[in-house]
Amino acid sequence: MKINAFSHDLFESISEQKIHHWVGLAVELAREAYENNNAEARAYVERLIFRINADHSFAAPLSSPVGLVWNILMKAKLTASITPYLNNGCRRLEDLQALLREAVIKTDREDHTWIDEILEESPYDHNFVVYTKNWFITAYGFCHQLISLAQHTNVKVERVVLSNVSDELQGTDHATQRSRFFKSICGRPFDSLQALEDPDTLTEAFALSNYRTGVCALPVPSYALGSFYSVEVAYVPSCERLLRGLNKHAFGDQDILDYVSGHGVLDSQHSEEWVDAIRAADLTEQDYECVTAGALAQLELRHRWFEAMRAAAKSAASLKPASLGFPSSFQVDNFDFNRLGDSI
């Protein structure tokens, strides 16, 4: 059964028997994806979470049983993503800033050089098309995620978050600019349902988007503050590489060039604003560790996304259902989880 059918079926009945069925399935999926590290289960779950997020404006869904399923899957995902970075020893803003400076330098060296490589030949090279498709997934719903975070902050932080929302909506809104970027490079408009089964779209891109949606839904904003701070500081050097690579080929789409160059400046400003937001949040030492954990988890998921793009480019064998596209062996009804590994 395909994700679209699965997601739709969640809304068809709210009988107690049906709820027990979906909750039991969600628990098994979460265990396979995030405890047993089953790649095919994770591919399925990340796409399912993304479908639910897109259907609910990137906020926690309230309808039952889809809300129960989402909570079970998201709790398992966030636990697996964040736990390795807790107890990190960063208990002051200065500690966080110093650690992220080093982390972003490492990110630029290890990940962003991939942008240089894929723009070596042409902006329409297949690898840059793949990058664009996956980048769009990671940015899809960004404004909605900010709005979700604003609901869980004090007034001082809320002002900073909503200022970022305002920047997203000024003039030609950023979502429209990103859509134009996608269409110019990929040759067609973005369709979130098609993306679920597009063989070029990586599980890791969905995972990165879903992480940000999840931390923004938490009642404690610390993890999301760290996530957005790391988003802004990391995107600045990648914009510099994008702009350099596009200009190298005398790229003619001025809207895209303006978007990339504008974000190089704007996100630098935003990173400072997120420092102000973190400072205004009246955080305890333990809270600062949570902010740091939220940032490091975001950067790790981002690193995995870049690594997955490199792997996909190096070998056609990496484009198998366990990593890309829909895992066709999944059956929602009468599913035998013990046989998952056979198809990977």
Side-chain angles (χ1 to χ4, degrees), residues 74-108:
M74 188 60 81
K75 179 181 178 181
K77 173 184 173 58
L78 294 182
T79 299
S81 300
I82 293 172
T83 299
Y85 301 101
L86 296 174
N87 303 314
N88 49 64
C90 289
R91 300 192 170 191
R92 301 178 305 152
L93 179 58
E94 294 75 16
D95 297 334
L96 169 63
Q97 289 177 295
L99 188 147
L100 279 194
R101 275 195 295 269
E102 293 300 317
V104 170
I105 290 172
K106 181 181 179 183
T107 294
D108 194 45

Side-chain angles (χ1 to χ4, degrees), residues 282-320:
D282 299 324
L283 301 176
T284 65
E285 290 185 348
Q286 184 177 2
D287 290 334
Y288 271 111
E289 288 194 330
C290 293
V291 172
T292 305
L296 293 177
Q298 165 87 23
L299 289 173
E300 173 59 25
L301 289 168
R302 193 172 184 273
H303 172 66
R304 293 178 189 176
W305 165 47
F306 271 91
E307 287 292 289
M309 286 190 290
R310 287 182 186 273
K314 287 180 180 178
S315 173
S318 68
L319 299 176
K320 58 184 180 179

Side-chain angles (χ1 to χ4, degrees), residues 5-6 35 158 183 195 208 285 313 338:
F6 179 34
E35 293 182 23
E158 186 178 24
K183 185 176 181 180
L208 186 54
E285 290 185 348
N338 294 323

Side-chain angles (χ1 to χ4, degrees), residues 28-42:
E28 292 293 337
L29 281 169
R31 182 181 297 118
E32 283 297 315
Y34 302 114
E35 293 182 23
N36 297 339
N37 295 317
N38 186 302
E40 190 174 3
R42 189 167 57 83

Side-chain angles (χ1 to χ4, degrees), residues 100-117 233-242 244 299 302-303 306 310:
L100 279 194
R101 275 195 295 269
E102 293 300 317
V104 170
I105 290 172
K106 181 181 179 183
T107 294
D108 194 45
R109 181 178 65 247
E110 295 184 356
D111 298 337
H112 295 163
T113 51
W114 175 239
I115 296 173
D116 298 336
E117 295 173 32
V233 296
Y235 197 50
V236 173
S238 70
C239 281
E240 294 172 356
R241 293 180 184 273
L242 279 168
R244 185 165 60 243
L299 289 173
R302 193 172 184 273
H303 172 66
F306 271 91
R310 287 182 186 273

Side-chain angles (χ1 to χ4, degrees), residues 52-62 70 144-145 148 151 213 217:
I52 295 172
N53 290 341
D55 282 350
H56 292 81
S57 300
F58 296 87
L62 296 178
W70 184 90
H144 291 85
Q145 292 163 341
S148 179
Q151 299 175 66
T213 299

